[in-house]
Amino acid sequence: MKLYCLSGHPTLPCNVLKFKSTTIMLDCGLDTTSVLNFLPLPLVHSPRLSKLPSWVSKDGSLNLEKELKECAGRVFVDSQPEFCLPERELLDLSTVDVILVSNYHCMMALPYITEHTGFTGTVYATEPTLTIGRLLMEELVNFMERVPKAQSATCWKNKEIQRMLPGPLKDAVDVWAWKRSYSMPEVNSALSKVQLVGYSQKVELFGAVQVSPLSSGYSLGSSNWIIQSHHEKVSYVSGSSLLTTHPQPMDQSSLKNSDVLILTGLTQMPTANPDGMLGEFCSNLAMTIRAGGNVLVPCYPSGVIYDLLECLYQFIESANLGTTPFYFISPVANSSLEFSQIFAEWLCHNKQSKVYLPEPPFPHAELIQTNKLKHYSSIHGDFSIEFRQPCVVFTGHPSLRFGDVVHFMELWGKSSLNTIIFTEPDFSYLDALAPYQPLAMKCVYCPIDTRLNFHQVSKLLKEVQPVHVVCPEQYTQPPLTQSHRSDLMLELQPPPMPYRRCSVLSLPFRRRYERVYILPELANSLVPSEIKPGVSLATVSAVLHSKDNKHTLQSVPKPPPAPLSKKRKRVLEEPPVLLAPKPLLSGAVPLEAFLATLQKHGITEVKVEETADGHILHLQAEDTLIQLEEDGTHIVCDNNEPLRTTLRDLVLRFLQKL
């Protein structure tokens, strides 16, 4: 069993498991942190960005003025943002049989894999994962395509040139393999390969293994996966939460008795308490509005935004924010808000019960009805007519490199009355803000990440007790910024097996057994004999038939009847006689008792020699050798058949026939 690691990002994993003649890809996350190296894509011409000076190396030897720009001491690529894809050279991805998707954030690289590698398999995901994944991809494509860049920067990717660039460009991984965003036809083609599954549904893969999704408690439809054969079990835990939020709670008990547990997608904010961050979010928002400023919340169109709106729903009246407009701007804003209300069976019990009242499970429905929350597909059209300040705007993208958020950064960045509140943990807020410096608006960092932290995962692993744990190497050491915090790492016995991008692990357990079925008529013919109390054995002569990884013992076919003779007489030749199989022998020949038996039969001159495997008996008068070993007995006797037969019968007295 082998594990190929194609992504180095622990919360955006992409691994391939080779198990029992199947090749299974576990998630296909897209590392979007690469976009932080690019300049933002403004919706309208930005004089500030267009006047940024070009970067030239200190000695003047490198002049990439058309490609690299400098802002507040940082260097950025002036081109369409590009993404760091999962590694595609380590393994022939056309050999992948299935892709198992654990949540909608971990499927963003799907079109790159299904459309450009010769992949012909099936993708398995739950319905909310597919639906919301489509919305996220649609939004990404829309953001990229509506602001096309005339030029494309490629020279800086040359390995010789990249080495001479300042950080972080100098240290970026595999820049030559970075790619621009996919198109909508590619998204539709990729998602047409997805087959929907429900929690605990068992899916057979070629009869070899069975895969089954379990609720992971992190987002709508998010799953952990069990991959098992008759005798082995692998659990894949990715992006799970034990907190009480809107999705169904995590299924922990089904993870028990795993031979290998592959662990990814722990919280990116192990020291931040999500509840505390929500409180801080609300108080900073209220403070800014009361002072007459605007609040900008860069966010994805699904996920944490549902919890933020629910929190604000309870907070608005008590904070006297009833008249403040809340705007949600995204090409998929309407779809996201509506879909969240119809996936009732994927929600926690509390929200499920509301559906039968009937009430909308999420309170943002009421915010929309009372006109407190308004959603728009972009800042053009209706929004520009109805827009009034001070207000709160939820919009994407959290990287601040593309989307409507770029416009609001340019619009509000110069005033210290305004505040930007970061809630998504995927991007460093300082790196996200770098191309907007110097910035007057206030910045508040309230990362809300409900995924498992190290304390929760240690407790979980103690309960489910897997034999081996495999995880990204980032989890086996404390974070660089807090190297003294040994509680911010996985400490297990035996230690977890770490992996990094492009590593190949041979997982430390071997398949020892295979299940074989026996046909009823063959089973009926078996005659077991007891070899010791409670243990019976039966010999079987059969044909092993293997098809679709299922093995069956069938009766030996009878020989075909002989053809008719040339004289056209219906005289059938006698069929060949099937000889009964020789009995199997078991047991051991005890030396003392055997020597006594030989003596009774007049064989007295016996010389015994001890060997590594047993004993050699030399019958001197008869010039005969008997080798008594653990796994066999040999009688070496020249030209004396009666003696050989007698000795054989004496040996057989001590053995049991089956």
Side-chain angles (χ1 to χ4, degrees):
M1 180 187 280
K2 286 198 165 164
L3 185 74
Y4 297 77
C5 175
L6 310 185
S7 163
H9 197 302
T11 45
L12 297 167
C14 182
N15 299 309
V16 173
L17 181 71
K18 286 204 168 187
F19 176 34
K20 215 181 163 198
S21 73
T22 58
T23 304
I24 302 168
M25 180 176 278
L26 306 169
D27 281 332
C28 43
L30 184 63
D31 188 350
T32 46
T33 53
S34 58
V35 303
L36 295 174
N37 296 295
F38 292 80
L39 279 181
L41 294 179
L43 287 175
V44 291
H45 176 71
S46 165
R48 185 186 70 83
L49 288 173
S50 60
K51 286 176 189 164
L52 287 177
S54 299
W55 178 81
V56 181
S57 60
K58 284 178 184 170
D59 58 2
S61 60
L62 268 188
N63 188 354
L64 299 173
E65 60 182 49
K66 287 188 178 169
E67 296 196 358
L68 302 181
K69 303 283 183 190
E70 202 168 346
C71 176
R74 288 280 288 269
V75 178
F76 297 94
V77 182
D78 187 12
S79 177
Q80 193 90 7
E82 295 179 344
F83 304 107
C84 180
L85 271 53
E87 175 60 44
R88 295 194 289 180
E89 303 296 317
L90 190 65
L91 184 76
D92 180 1
L93 295 183
S94 66
T95 62
V96 172
D97 298 311
V98 294
I99 300 176
L100 306 181
V101 178
S102 54
N103 60 68
Y104 44 78
H105 286 298
C106 292
M107 67 186 291
M108 297 298 284
L110 198 60
Y112 295 114
I113 289 166
T114 61
E115 305 311 298
H116 301 287
T117 63
F119 173 80
T120 55
T122 309
V123 184
Y124 289 101
T126 61
E127 191 183 358
T129 296
L130 170 65
T131 304
I132 298 169
R134 183 189 293 277
L135 297 182
L136 290 178
M137 290 179 188
E138 203 177 304
E139 183 188 66
L140 186 65
V141 171
N142 189 298
F143 283 161
M144 292 299 186
E145 289 185 351
R146 70 186 185 189
V147 194
K149 275 267 190 185
Q151 78 275 17
S152 181
T154 52
C155 296
W156 74 275
K157 291 183 176 187
N158 182 304
K159 282 184 181 175
E160 297 305 313
I161 292 176
Q162 192 198 354
R163 273 212 303 259
M164 299 164 74
L165 300 178
L169 281 178
K170 178 184 178 180
D171 309 313
V173 179
D174 291 349
V175 292
W176 51 272
W178 288 9
K179 288 274 186 290
R180 288 184 167 202
S181 170
Y182 31 72
S183 64
M184 214 50 220
E186 286 174 317
V187 170
N188 292 330
S189 176
L191 297 184
S192 70
K193 297 174 176 69
V194 176
Q195 196 164 314
L196 298 181
V197 285
Y199 289 150
S200 301
Q201 181 181 336
K202 290 178 169 54
V203 179
E204 285 268 340
L205 303 186
F206 319 113
V209 294
Q210 210 177 51
V211 298
S212 183
L214 312 170
S215 172
S216 77
Y218 168 55
S219 60
L220 277 177
S222 66
S223 319
N224 293 321
W225 288 87
I226 298 291
I227 305 153
Q228 61 187 350
S229 64
H230 296 303
H231 298 285
E232 299 90 19
K233 178 175 177 180
V234 177
S235 298
Y236 176 58
V237 176
S238 170
S240 304
S241 176
L242 294 170
L243 301 179
T244 309
T245 53
H246 59 270
Q248 257 193 48
M250 180 182 176
D251 178 351
Q252 299 174 59
S253 58
S254 303
L255 300 172
K256 288 180 178 171
N257 307 318
S258 301
D259 295 291
V260 172
L261 187 142
I262 302 165
L263 178 69
T264 70
L266 299 186
T267 178
Q268 300 183 70
M269 293 292 133
T271 54
N273 173 6
D275 284 340
M277 291 292 124
L278 271 173
E280 214 168 298
F281 170 82
C282 290
S283 60
N284 277 290
L285 182 141
M287 214 154 46
T288 303
I289 298 293
R290 286 191 193 116
N294 301 294
V295 177
L296 180 60
V297 186
C299 63
Y300 294 112
S302 180
V304 170
I305 186 167
Y306 303 147
D307 298 310
L308 291 176
L309 292 173
E310 185 157 354
C311 186
L312 287 170
Y313 172 78
Q314 296 160 353
F315 181 75
I316 286 170
E317 296 307 323
S318 61
N320 293 326
L321 299 175
T323 56
T324 306
F326 289 78
Y327 300 120
F328 175 25
I329 306 168
S330 164
V332 296
N334 185 41
S335 306
S336 171
L337 293 171
E338 286 182 352
F339 277 129
S340 66
Q341 304 286 17
I342 61 169
F343 287 132
E345 73 270 33
W346 306 91
L347 296 170
C348 62
H349 178 72
N350 183 22
K351 288 202 172 344
Q352 271 188 31
S353 55
K354 287 188 176 181
V355 177
Y356 303 109
L357 286 176
E359 262 181 39
F362 287 98
H364 55 242
E366 196 177 318
L367 289 174
I368 293 168
Q369 281 168 1
T370 55
N371 260 351
K372 287 174 182 166
L373 173 67
K374 297 185 178 185
H375 53 86
Y376 303 90
S377 59
S378 76
I379 57 171
H380 306 298
D382 290 350
F383 174 74
S384 53
I385 300 162
E386 297 172 14
F387 175 58
R388 60 187 179 83
Q389 306 182 72
C391 62
V392 179
V393 171
F394 296 89
T395 189
H397 184 266
S399 66
L400 308 189
R401 292 301 178 271
F402 42 85
D404 300 282
V405 73
V406 176
H407 182 73
F408 287 101
M409 288 300 296
E410 297 286 335
L411 187 69
W412 292 343
K414 299 178 190 69
S415 167
S416 59
L417 286 175
N418 303 322
T419 303
I420 178 169
I421 306 180
F422 290 91
T423 57
E424 297 290 349
D426 291 353
F427 302 93
S428 152
Y429 75 103
L430 292 173
D431 291 341
L433 292 169
Y436 298 97
Q437 301 296 355
L439 197 67
M441 77 190 298
K442 292 194 284 292
C443 302
V444 178
Y445 190 47
C446 301
I448 297 168
D449 195 338
T450 58
R451 287 173 283 206
L452 295 171
N453 59 33
F454 288 100
H455 172 69
Q456 290 167 331
V457 86
S458 298
K459 194 174 165 199
L460 173 72
L461 292 174
K462 271 184 193 149
E463 284 172 21
V464 301
Q465 293 190 317
V467 181
H468 301 284
V469 174
V470 182
C471 67
E473 68 175 358
Q474 289 95 323
Y475 297 162
T476 59
Q477 54 211 24
L480 290 172
T481 50
Q482 295 169 299
S483 53
H484 62 288
R485 294 285 300 268
S486 61
D487 57 325
L488 300 183
M489 60 183 276
L490 277 183
E491 291 187 291
L492 305 171
Q493 282 307 324
M497 294 179 67
Y499 64 76
R500 57 157 75 92
R501 187 182 173 97
C502 291
S503 58
V504 181
L505 298 186
S506 288
L507 299 183
F509 88 93
R510 294 180 183 279
R511 286 171 42 216
R512 289 197 176 90
Y513 302 106
E514 193 63 76
R515 181 172 288 187
V516 179
Y517 297 91
I518 188 165
L519 290 183
E521 58 268 25
L522 182 59
N524 206 25
S525 68
L526 300 183
V527 183
S529 53
E530 192 169 51
I531 55 165
K532 62 181 181 184
V535 178
S536 295
L537 281 183
T539 60
V540 59
S541 295
V543 174
L544 180 64
H545 180 263
S546 293
K547 185 181 178 185
D548 295 337
N549 288 298
K550 286 197 165 53
H551 312 289
T552 311
L553 287 178
Q554 301 178 345
S555 303
V556 178
K558 293 189 171 106
L564 294 171
S565 63
K566 286 182 182 174
K567 293 179 182 176
R568 295 179 182 273
K569 289 180 183 173
R570 291 186 170 270
V571 179
L572 294 179
E573 290 178 22
E574 284 292 313
V577 179
L578 283 177
L579 297 172
K582 285 185 177 179
L584 298 177
L585 302 171
S586 72
V589 180
L591 184 63
E592 297 300 328
F594 185 57
L595 289 172
T597 307
L598 290 176
Q599 222 162 7
K600 276 183 195 170
H601 285 76
I603 301 169
T604 52
E605 289 182 47
V606 181
K607 186 181 174 189
V608 180
E609 188 183 322
E610 198 165 328
T611 65
D613 297 322
H615 298 87
I616 295 177
L617 279 55
H618 187 200
L619 283 52
Q620 291 169 328
E622 292 78 9
D623 194 20
T624 296
L625 287 178
I626 303 174
Q627 290 177 310
L628 299 175
E629 295 173 351
E630 270 189 29
D631 55 355
T633 303
H634 301 276
I635 300 169
V636 184
C637 175
D638 281 343
N639 301 326
N640 191 344
E641 186 61 20
L643 175 65
R644 190 195 67 77
T645 311
T646 305
L647 292 174
R648 182 199 65 191
D649 293 341
L650 293 179
V651 169
L652 289 177
R653 284 187 189 181
F654 294 96
L655 300 176
Q656 195 167 0
K657 292 178 186 175
L658 290 173

